[in-house]
Amino acid sequence: VLASLFFLLSFFCYRKAALSTGSGHGPVAWLMASALLALCSALSKETGITVVGVCVLYDYFLLQKMDWSSSVQLVWRIAFSFQRHSSLSHSRSPSRSPPLSPSLTSS
């Protein structure tokens, strides 16, 4: 419960910093608060670090108004490139160790 509280507070502080239009220490203070709350969330439960990813995705898709279709295509290409690389590494037969000599196997 504590990690969720810190998670939400961190996200709301990040959102406040991203939407603030004033110059000066206002946006920086909100970003610092967001980072501190993200740290508290991660320290209370390991999955709390995902707030950083949520903030990045929020900034990328909603604040920067990126095109969804091109972003999905990019993610699709990256996912298939990882799949190709992993299937190539798994398709190679691992080098087999030489058989044990008979003197080592008998006890």
Side-chain angles (χ1 to χ4, degrees):
V1 174
L2 194 59
S4 301
L5 177 69
F6 287 136
F7 184 101
L8 290 173
L9 289 174
S10 175
F11 179 72
F12 290 142
C13 286
Y14 180 81
R15 185 174 182 274
K16 181 74 173 174
L19 296 177
S20 64
T21 57
S23 61
H25 298 296
V28 175
W30 285 112
L31 280 176
M32 295 300 289
S34 176
L36 180 66
L37 289 165
L39 179 66
C40 291
S41 180
L43 290 175
S44 58
K45 191 170 184 182
E46 293 84 8
T47 56
I49 196 67
T50 57
V51 71
V52 176
V54 169
C55 290
V56 167
L57 291 175
Y58 174 77
D59 193 275
Y60 182 76
F61 286 111
L62 298 177
L63 296 179
Q64 303 298 323
K65 295 179 177 46
M66 300 306 288
D67 182 28
W68 284 91
S69 61
S70 63
S71 299
V72 168
Q73 289 173 357
L74 175 67
V75 169
W76 196 256
R77 277 187 268 142
I78 291 171
F80 276 116
S81 70
F82 283 134
Q83 183 183 11
R84 259 185 286 152
H85 290 307
S86 67
S87 66
L88 288 176
S89 65
H90 289 295
S91 65
R92 296 180 187 150
S93 61
S95 61
R96 294 187 176 184
S97 60
L100 295 175
S101 63
S103 62
L104 295 176
T105 57
S106 61
S107 298

